[in-house]
Amino acid sequence: MSVPETADGDVGPETVAVSPGRDIFVGALSLVGGVLVLKYGLGLPPAPGGGPGSGLVPAIIGALASAVGAILMLLALLRLRRESAGGRSALRRQVGVVAWLRRPGSLDVVAVLSSIAFYIAFIEILGFLITMATVQFGLMVKFRWPPISSAIISVVSTVVLYYVFNKLLFIPLQDGVLGPVL
Amino acid sequence: MINDVVAATQDVLTLETMVTILLAGTFGIVMGALPGMTATLAVALVLPFTLFMDPITAIAAIITMSATAIFAGDIPGALLRIPGTPSSAAYVDDAYLLTQSGRGHLALGGGLLASVLGGLFGTLVLILLAPTLGRFALRFTSYEYFWVAVLGLCTAVVVSQGSQLKGAISLLLGLLVATVGIDIMYGVPRFTFGVTELTGGIHFIPVMIGLFGISQVMVTLFSSDGRNSTPKSIKTKGMVRDSAKGVFRYKGRLLTGSATGSGIGALPGAGSDIAAWVAYGVTKSTSKRGSMFGRGRGELEPIVGASSANNASVGSAYVPALAFGIPGDSVTAIMIGVLLMKGITPGPNLFTSETPTLYSIYMIFILANLVLLPLGFLAIAGSGAILRIPQPVLLALIVAICVVGSFAINNSVLDIGFMLAFGIIGYFFITSGIPLAPVVLGIILGPIVERSFMQSMISSGGDLSQFVTRPISAGLALLVLVALAVPTVQHLVKSRSRGHAEEARSSSESTLDKDESRRLP
């Protein structure tokens, strides 16, 4: 299991407690998602003989997800009530989205996610070598590593990856604009 | 039998296989020592190589890599407080504190010895239990396979640390992902929304790389506050002697940890991550110094307990895989794929018609654990060099490997999109206290549950009673019920004993108050 981290951001095996607000959100998400999956499953055609068809398993998953979500929400609401009665400001911790964006490292995380999105968008046009080197260079610079060193490492590691995966493992990595040269 | 053993020895003791074991062991150590890389990811990345290998060599590569990677996850955990593999997370605080107090050699050397001995224990369990289960499995039909798979799903949720409800949500997401694509029974497309690429379903490798790799990068970036940037040096002189002494001191823990790991590993749907956490919990609750775990100057006892469980589960996870063809964890799921690709069908037939292959697997397990010892000590000695890769470079490289690894499975850019999406979901799950492993297990076991259920329904003409009236089916159904009831019973017992303790405390406090008031003038 990965190192659990609380909604407040403390990482460590001892800190598995999550705020009731987060549990309510998770429960609601499971409930709504479950209902949608249940509806989708019930809408699938029955078996040719009239028995349970392709929709049976999705419908069961949807029903279970909504039930589990509802129970989680209920338990979290009871916990929230108990903590509020005990004078603890459980609600204060729920305003997490703004706090999340203000946390140190949040822009680095956004950079990682954006770089993968950039790779998906440009891989067919630019090809593996250019796109991957750009992604790695961008990430290293964003993580405050010197630009010249970043450029060298990103080019070398991209070429190594290309050689290993494309030439040794025969994975057809995209050539892109460098196609005529490669 | 002797002829089979001789044939197996000839298959295993070839130059190609021995070199592969050494290379795979080294690669496993490097991958396990890199934060964010899991044993499963290491195996997934080396999967394309196995296409060009002989069956026994391919099996040797996967087994050795998973055994070495699981141990190597302890190295960055002890030095940087970043667990290299998810299964190292259970005792990362103890190992880190030991290193901080100048006893890093004990944390890593002791962990290595415990891993090797635990791994050999797990192999013994595999050798002793798999044949019996294999013969028993010959009597299994789709009804029984359905219940075995359901039992795997249940245990994955039940032994999940934290909330079982959240474990269930995680599992249901995995099961939902498994339904994407053309329905295996009736050919109806499900959740494809007109996208042709989705008709083949979502492969579990990009999902897993996203859930474990990308989410770990996000966790690392959020927790980069400088506390883990200065690794302490590791004393290599006398490391072997001190480690052996330390492990011998906790030989009882070694046994309980190995037994716990073997037991959990043998359950289809569990795995080394869950085994390590459960063994840590067992060690903590039964140790006199349990309250000191994860604090102070660090303790070796929980490392011996949980580390032996990690590697013991690697071997025993192959019990359901070889006996039933049902994966015990993600690595065995990949292994089953490789075996099928090489024309070897895991399951009861392996014990009757392919015994040399079976004995080869046993031998490879023993060799993999023995190779781990020198490789592990070398890795500990040289771990400073691996970990001296600066974090900015390391994280960028991890992202690059995750992207290429996801693409390599199906040569599809859509899989990179899935990896990205599941990376975000993985981070959300970690911060919400939702375990990640059940998602992967849901994807792996989902099709088995659905196929066996639908086959049973068709063969019985929709008669549900067949699931509980056949003797083995009924027994397995009962086991499922027991597995589901255990957390509730434990919860009730705990709350009752807590209630009694509180009552006793309040009555003794009131007696003390009365005595006090009598003494006061």
Side-chain angles (χ1 to χ4, degrees):
Chain A
M1 217 50 51
S2 297
V3 187
E5 188 190 17
T6 63
D8 298 336
D10 297 330
V11 178
E14 298 291 326
T15 53
V16 286
V18 173
S19 69
R22 177 63 76 95
D23 279 0
I24 292 169
F25 180 66
V26 170
L29 213 61
S30 179
L31 176 66
V32 174
V35 169
L36 290 174
V37 171
L38 176 65
K39 198 179 164 213
Y40 181 88
L42 293 175
L44 285 170
S54 304
L56 179 70
V57 171
I60 292 172
I61 294 169
L64 286 173
S66 40
V68 169
I71 297 169
L72 186 67
M73 261 177 82
L74 197 69
L75 291 175
L77 279 167
L78 288 171
R79 220 175 97 207
L80 183 70
R81 212 171 141 187
R82 211 167 43 234
E83 286 187 10
S84 302
R88 288 166 65 179
S89 56
L91 273 169
R92 201 176 57 193
R93 286 194 290 174
Q94 291 158 46
V95 194
V97 180
V98 179
W100 189 89
L101 283 170
R102 284 183 186 163
R103 280 171 58 188
S106 58
L107 287 178
D108 288 344
V109 169
V110 171
V112 166
L113 303 179
S114 313
S115 69
I116 299 171
F118 169 84
Y119 182 93
I120 294 169
F122 289 95
I123 183 65
E124 297 293 348
I125 308 162
L126 299 177
F128 177 79
L129 287 170
I130 295 175
T131 319
M132 185 54 87
T134 310
V135 162
Q136 288 204 74
F137 174 74
L139 283 177
M140 283 181 216
V141 170
K142 180 69 194 78
F143 299 155
R144 294 163 287 280
W145 193 248
I148 295 171
S149 173
S150 298
I152 296 166
I153 296 170
S154 54
V155 169
V156 171
S157 61
T158 301
V159 171
V160 169
L161 279 174
Y162 181 81
Y163 182 79
V164 170
F165 280 89
N166 196 296
K167 302 292 176 194
L168 293 180
L169 301 174
F170 306 106
I171 303 294
L173 295 172
Q174 293 85 343
D175 291 336
V177 289
L178 294 179
V181 187
L182 294 168
Chain B
M1 182 185 166
I2 292 169
N3 288 340
D4 290 339
V5 173
V6 171
T9 313
Q10 283 170 345
D11 283 344
V12 173
L13 296 180
T14 62
L15 182 68
E16 189 192 354
T17 309
M18 299 313 287
V19 170
T20 304
I21 285 177
L22 272 176
L23 288 175
T26 310
F27 183 66
I29 292 252
V30 173
M31 290 295 283
L34 291 173
M37 295 283 154
T38 62
T40 314
L41 185 54
V43 171
L45 288 180
V46 92
L47 202 58
F49 283 109
T50 59
L51 293 171
F52 309 100
M53 294 176 183
D54 290 335
I56 298 300
T57 316
I59 293 166
I62 292 176
I63 289 174
T64 312
M65 198 176 303
S66 55
T68 52
I70 286 200
F71 156 70
D74 295 0
I75 297 173
L79 296 178
L80 304 172
R81 203 174 172 262
I82 304 174
T85 56
S87 50
S88 303
Y91 46 92
V92 68
D93 277 357
D94 294 281
Y96 182 69
L97 289 169
L98 272 175
T99 309
Q100 290 296 302
S101 61
R103 293 179 294 160
H105 65 292
L106 206 57
L108 288 170
L112 172 63
L113 274 183
S115 296
V116 170
L117 294 170
L120 290 170
F121 188 97
T123 307
L124 195 69
V125 169
L126 173 71
I127 295 169
L128 294 177
L129 283 187
T132 317
L133 278 172
R135 276 193 293 275
F136 186 58
L138 283 169
R139 294 159 63 190
F140 276 42
T141 60
S142 57
Y143 300 98
E144 285 78 20
Y145 273 107
F146 169 77
W147 283 117
V148 170
V150 170
L151 185 65
L153 296 178
C154 291
T155 49
V157 174
V158 168
V159 298
S160 294
Q161 78 271 22
S163 164
Q164 272 84 28
L165 284 173
K166 290 181 182 176
I169 288 175
S170 178
L171 182 69
L172 288 166
L173 177 69
L175 289 171
L176 184 66
V177 171
T179 62
V180 175
I182 299 278
D183 167 29
I184 42 176
M185 295 304 292
Y186 299 111
V188 176
R190 295 184 298 200
F191 301 104
T192 53
F193 308 107
V195 180
T196 320
E197 278 181 291
L198 279 176
T199 51
I202 299 175
H203 200 283
F204 75 87
I205 295 290
V207 173
M208 200 179 56
I209 293 177
L211 280 176
F212 291 102
I214 296 298
S215 68
Q216 188 64 47
V217 168
M218 291 168 75
V219 167
T220 307
L221 286 170
F222 273 132
S223 59
S224 296
D225 56 1
R227 71 185 168 192
N228 50 20
S229 56
T230 320
K232 300 282 174 186
S233 60
I234 298 289
K235 189 180 85 177
T236 49
K237 200 179 172 186
M239 178 169 65
V240 179
R241 190 193 57 230
D242 290 354
S243 306
K245 266 187 192 170
V247 172
F248 184 74
R249 191 176 160 208
Y250 296 117
K251 51 187 180 294
R253 288 300 164 211
L254 186 72
L255 266 178
T256 53
S258 301
T260 309
S262 300
I264 291 168
L267 297 172
S272 59
D273 305 351
I274 295 169
W277 282 96
V278 174
Y280 187 89
V282 169
T283 312
K284 186 171 180 165
S285 58
T286 54
S287 170
K288 284 177 191 165
R289 294 181 60 79
S291 60
M292 289 306 293
F293 290 5
R295 60 175 73 178
R297 298 179 70 232
E299 300 284 329
L300 180 63
E301 194 179 355
I303 298 174
V304 171
S307 208
S308 57
N310 267 352
N311 278 56
S313 69
V314 173
S316 65
Y318 282 77
V319 171
L322 297 181
F324 302 103
I326 289 174
D329 59 7
S330 315
V331 174
T332 45
I334 298 173
M335 176 62 122
I336 286 174
V338 170
L339 289 174
L340 290 171
M341 209 162 56
K342 301 287 179 189
I344 301 164
T345 310
N349 288 336
L350 197 63
F351 297 86
T352 51
S353 57
E354 295 195 60
T355 38
T357 309
L358 187 70
Y359 292 143
S360 299
I361 294 173
Y362 295 159
M363 280 180 198
I364 289 165
F365 263 108
I366 295 168
L367 278 174
N369 281 294
L370 294 177
V371 157
L372 172 59
L373 204 60
L375 284 180
F377 277 120
L378 279 173
I380 294 168
S383 58
I386 296 170
L387 295 167
R388 271 194 289 273
I389 297 175
Q391 202 181 60
V393 177
L394 186 60
L395 292 176
L397 283 173
I398 290 173
V399 171
I401 292 171
C402 286
V403 167
V404 184
S406 301
F407 176 80
I409 296 296
N410 285 327
N411 303 332
S412 163
V413 177
L414 188 66
D415 280 341
I416 305 172
F418 286 134
M419 180 207 66
L420 177 62
F422 278 93
I424 298 166
I425 291 172
Y427 180 77
F428 174 72
F429 272 26
I430 292 170
T431 53
S432 304
I434 303 172
L436 298 177
V439 181
V440 180
L441 297 166
I443 300 175
I444 293 163
L445 290 178
I448 300 172
V449 172
E450 183 173 9
R451 190 174 53 239
S452 50
F453 179 75
M454 296 308 266
Q455 276 175 353
S456 307
M457 289 296 281
I458 291 167
S459 66
S460 68
D463 180 13
L464 280 169
S465 67
Q466 291 282 323
F467 282 96
V468 287
T469 50
R470 300 163 67 89
I472 302 174
S473 267
L476 290 166
L478 199 68
L479 272 178
V480 169
L481 279 178
V482 170
L484 288 173
V486 163
T488 318
V489 172
Q490 272 181 337
H491 182 73
L492 285 173
V493 169
K494 239 183 219 174
S495 43
R496 183 166 286 184
S497 61
R498 205 180 299 142
H500 284 311
E502 271 170 18
E503 255 175 45
R505 201 184 308 132
S506 60
S507 71
S508 72
E509 273 171 9
S510 65
T511 316
L512 279 172
D513 287 346
K514 277 176 195 168
D515 289 350
E516 197 84 350
S517 59
R518 266 188 227 127
R519 258 184 265 128
L520 285 169

